[in-house]
Amino acid sequence: MPAKPAHTTIARQWEILKLLPPRSPGKTARQLAEMLAADGFEVSKRTVERDLNELSGIFPIVCNDK
């Protein structure tokens, strides 16, 4: 599947929200990046971390730092 355009931040963040499980165990940023890549989004683990940080200001996302 071809990569999606760079202006799809909202679409990518929406996809991240859909990929997050409702309860433990969660997903790592690396796992989410791999799942997004399989869905056509070319992102790094760091981009996913930034997206999660931004989304946690709006949605009740809990980070497990272990």
Side-chain angles (χ1 to χ4, degrees):
M1 178 177 257
K4 294 186 175 18
H7 66 279
T8 60
T9 302
I10 293 172
R12 181 183 68 241
Q13 289 179 345
W14 183 252
E15 191 63 29
I16 288 173
L17 289 172
K18 292 192 306 184
L19 292 172
L20 291 174
R23 51 182 87 80
S24 293
K27 301 275 185 210
T28 66
R30 183 167 311 285
Q31 288 172 321
L32 290 169
E34 290 170 358
M35 294 168 82
L36 288 168
D39 206 28
F41 293 94
E42 288 186 26
V43 294
S44 66
K45 175 182 159 273
R46 182 64 186 123
T47 297
V48 172
E49 291 170 345
R50 281 191 287 269
D51 284 344
L52 288 169
N53 188 42
E54 187 175 334
L55 290 167
S56 70
I58 303 167
F59 298 98
I61 297 173
V62 178
C63 176
N64 182 347
D65 290 330
K66 292 182 183 178

